[in-house]
Structure formats: C-alpha cells, structure tokens
Amino acid sequence: MLKLTGQHVIPMSEAARFLNGEGEYPERCVAITFDDGYENFYQYAYPVLKKYQLPAMVYIVSGELSGRSEWLKEDGHQPQPLMSREQIREVHANGIEIGSHSVTHPRLAQLSGDACLQELQQSKKDLEELLGDTVDHICYPYGSFSEEVGQQAAKAGYHVGTTTVKGLALPDQNLLSLPRKAVSFNDGVLKTWKNIHRL
C-alpha cells in the first residue's frame, strides 16, 4: 500500500533528523515502527520489508530475548514468541533499525524515578552490547509516559522516544515524546489506509 500510493518511507533515524530541523523532508513521509520484537516480525514483516526495500525500526524488550510476551495476558491476548539474539542481529545487519522497549516491558510512568532509569539504562546497554552499535531510540511500553519518564529517558542517553498518542510527528514536538499512528490486531490494508489519512 505504501509503495503503490507513493509514500516516502524513511528510516526512523532519518525522520528524527528531519524533525530536529536537519534538512527538508519529502512530502508524504512515513516511518514504520514495530513494538516488542515478536518472532512473527522476523517471519512475516521482515521478508516483505526486504522485498520492497523499506526501512523500519523494531523496539526490543531486552530482557526477554527468545522469551514470550507475557504482558499480553493483561489485555486478554495469548503471549507470543519473541525474536532471538541471532534474529535481531540478522535483521539489524540487513538495515532494520533497533530501538529499546525497556528490559521487562513495565508501565514506566508507574515506576519510581530510579526504577524507571534502571529499565531505560539497562535496556540501552544490553542492546548496544548485542549489536555493537548505538541505540538512542526508545518506545515507552503501553505508551506509559510522563514528563519525568521523558527526563529519565534523556538522562539514560536516548535522543528519540515514541508514544502511543495518535497523531502526526511534527518539527515543533519534543523528540522524546513523538506521537504515532497504531496498526494493531485485525487491522487490514483498507482500515490502515483510512486511519493514516484521518490524521
């Protein structure tokens, strides 16, 4: 859909640079992100992204590699397998950007400042050791964000953060609290297209 309708799909890191005032971005500009690091990203989305040569960002829960998304039980969903260290290294080596999604997928805004900082710092450290590359993007689990969480993210060394607030990311917004448009369970191509164009 994105390819056929002439959207400019750019890496999340490039989107962040544009939003920071570094250069001019093209019209109809889209960055694709995936939360949690599910194994089904590797099985289904990754081959399609490679086929159409589309960049994307995957946010990884660093303490659950090769584990299962037990947090889905909270919303009545079945836990799903998560990518292994080897799969994450492979997708990263083939152009998929990797960001942090914390260590254990907690609601960060409900943690103490120290516990929140620990989640953010440890995940960044874990992923950078895994990849041998800098990780400076964070996605807040459940969209649990507050001004203090943003401050802790900056303290931990992140430069860009994404939330679950629905909307367009614009140059005047704080890079550590960017909105997104969700595509979730049972959303088809038509519904996704309509939702994107309602923004």
Side-chain angles (χ1 to χ4, degrees), residues 6 23 41 44 65 80 97 114 118 125 135 155 168 170 176 190:
F41 167 82
Y44 302 114
L65 307 185
Q80 299 296 315
E97 295 182 317
D114 287 345
Q118 174 62 25
K125 180 175 181 290
V135 173
K155 189 174 180 180
L168 293 172
L170 301 171
L176 280 168
L190 183 58

Side-chain angles (χ1 to χ4, degrees), residues 52-87:
Y52 291 99
Q53 299 182 316
L54 298 177
M57 168 77 75
V58 181
Y59 299 107
I60 301 293
V61 181
S62 70
E64 301 294 339
L65 307 185
S66 295
R68 296 177 70 81
S69 55
E70 298 296 331
W71 57 85
L72 286 179
K73 290 179 180 177
E74 220 178 282
D75 297 322
H77 297 296
Q78 186 70 25
Q80 299 296 315
L82 300 168
M83 283 194 288
S84 68
R85 300 171 67 86
E86 292 74 21
Q87 289 168 331

Side-chain angles (χ1 to χ4, degrees), residues 60-129:
I60 301 293
V61 181
S62 70
E64 301 294 339
L65 307 185
S66 295
R68 296 177 70 81
S69 55
E70 298 296 331
W71 57 85
L72 286 179
K73 290 179 180 177
E74 220 178 282
D75 297 322
H77 297 296
Q78 186 70 25
Q80 299 296 315
L82 300 168
M83 283 194 288
S84 68
R85 300 171 67 86
E86 292 74 21
Q87 289 168 331
I88 293 167
R89 284 197 189 103
E90 179 187 333
V91 301
H92 178 256
N94 285 281
I96 300 298
E97 295 182 317
I98 301 296
S100 165
H101 204 38
S102 79
V103 179
T104 63
H105 204 279
R107 297 181 187 276
L108 293 171
Q110 296 178 7
L111 301 180
S112 69
D114 287 345
C116 176
L117 182 59
Q118 174 62 25
E119 281 277 344
L120 296 169
Q121 286 179 328
Q122 189 62 50
S123 181
K124 178 175 169 65
K125 180 175 181 290
D126 292 343
L127 293 171
E128 289 180 342
E129 287 179 354

Side-chain angles (χ1 to χ4, degrees), residues 1-2 30-36 38 163-167 180-197 199:
M1 179 191 74
L2 293 170
V30 176
I32 303 172
T33 63
F34 294 84
D35 292 5
D36 299 340
Y38 294 113
T163 69
T164 56
V165 174
K166 295 180 180 179
R180 294 184 295 170
K181 183 66 189 92
V183 178
S184 194
F185 294 96
N186 301 318
D187 287 356
V189 171
L190 183 58
K191 181 178 178 182
T192 301
W193 177 248
K194 287 180 177 178
N195 284 343
I196 288 172
H197 284 270
L199 296 176

